[in-house]
């Protein structure tokens, strides 16, 4: 019974919204069509930005640049206690959520979810953001070209999340 209710929530919400609009005398169908037109316009505006980001991530991974960055950043990662196995995750996450999920899955398969590396990776996945993807999609959809301080604030927030992940795992799970 509970499973049926859970599966029915979204359709029920849609029906309630339509009924509420009809009771209030609003043109629900026309508003839906206008919203769909606007959504299609947003999709066409952000597609070039999204395509560029997806290609950049693929080139970054396939070119071997990720491996070079991993080797170069290992000493710095050691300073904050970040296992070098997590550097690819930290580098990919700001660019691509699906790429980061792939790296995360590989980490969990190799080290296990209850290992120090697995726990730290899990916290990093939950606390960091796909910065460049988000900036590309959301700023591109509304035509913002100058991101000002957004990028630096987001990078600092991700850095704080990574340091917090290492610290939390050390304090509570080591």
């Amino acid at each position: 019974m509970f499973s049926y209710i859970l599966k029915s929530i979204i359709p029920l919400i849609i029906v309630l919204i339509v009924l509420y609009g009809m009771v209030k005398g609003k043109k629900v169908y026309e508003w839906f069509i206008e919203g769909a037109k606007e959504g299609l316009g947003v999709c066409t505006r952000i597609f070039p930005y999204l395509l560029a980001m997806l290609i950049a991530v693929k080139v970054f991974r396939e070119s071997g640049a990720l491996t070079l960055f991993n080797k170069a950043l290992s000493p710095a990662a050691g300073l904050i206690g970040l296992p070098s196995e997590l550097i690819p995750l930290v580098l990919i996450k700001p660019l691509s959520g699906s790429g980061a999920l792939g790296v995360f899955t590989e980490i969990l398969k190799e080290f296990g979810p209850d290992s120090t590396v697995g726990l730290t990776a899990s916290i990093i996945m939950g606390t960091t953001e796909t910065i460049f993807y988000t900036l590309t999609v959301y700023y591109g959809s509304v035509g913002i070209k100058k991101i000002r301080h957004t990028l630096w604030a987001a990078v600092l927030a991700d850095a704080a999340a990574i340091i917090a992940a290492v610290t939390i795992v050390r304090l509570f799970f080591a």
Side-chain angles (χ1 to χ4, degrees):
M1 178 67 179
F2 187 69
S3 174
Y4 177 75
I5 293 171
L6 284 177
K7 291 178 183 176
S8 303
I9 287 177
I10 300 295
L12 285 173
I13 289 172
I14 292 170
V15 167
L16 288 173
I17 290 170
V18 170
L19 288 175
Y20 179 78
M22 290 170 66
V23 167
K24 291 290 187 176
K26 305 297 180 183
K27 298 177 181 177
V28 178
Y29 181 73
E30 287 82 3
W31 286 0
F32 173 78
I33 297 299
E34 286 301 313
K37 285 179 188 176
E38 286 179 29
L40 189 58
V42 168
C43 288
T44 57
R45 282 196 312 270
I46 68 170
F47 181 74
Y49 300 102
L50 189 57
L51 181 62
M53 181 57 62
L54 292 173
I55 290 171
V57 168
K58 189 69 170 175
V59 167
F60 184 67
R61 287 189 82 181
E62 298 299 322
S63 70
L66 181 61
T67 305
L68 291 175
F69 274 108
N70 192 8
K71 289 178 183 175
L73 294 176
S74 288
L79 291 174
I80 62 168
L82 181 71
S84 62
E85 298 86 3
L86 296 181
I87 293 173
L89 178 64
V90 169
L91 292 174
I92 288 291
K93 181 67 191 259
L95 300 171
S96 166
S98 59
L101 188 59
V103 171
F104 176 65
T105 303
E106 291 170 15
I107 289 169
L108 292 185
K109 282 181 184 176
E110 184 174 342
F111 298 98
D114 294 330
S115 67
T116 301
V117 173
L119 290 168
T120 307
S122 297
I123 295 172
I124 289 171
M125 279 297 288
T127 58
T128 57
E129 180 58 67
T130 53
I131 298 168
F132 296 101
Y133 173 82
T134 304
L135 288 177
T136 300
V137 171
Y138 294 113
Y139 278 19
S141 69
V142 293
I144 296 173
K145 301 230 186 286
K146 295 182 181 179
I147 58 174
R148 295 186 38 105
H149 306 295
T150 306
L151 177 61
W152 295 111
V155 168
L156 286 174
D158 268 11
I162 292 164
I163 293 168
V166 170
T167 305
I168 288 168
V169 169
R170 273 194 194 158
L171 289 174
F172 296 109
F173 301 105

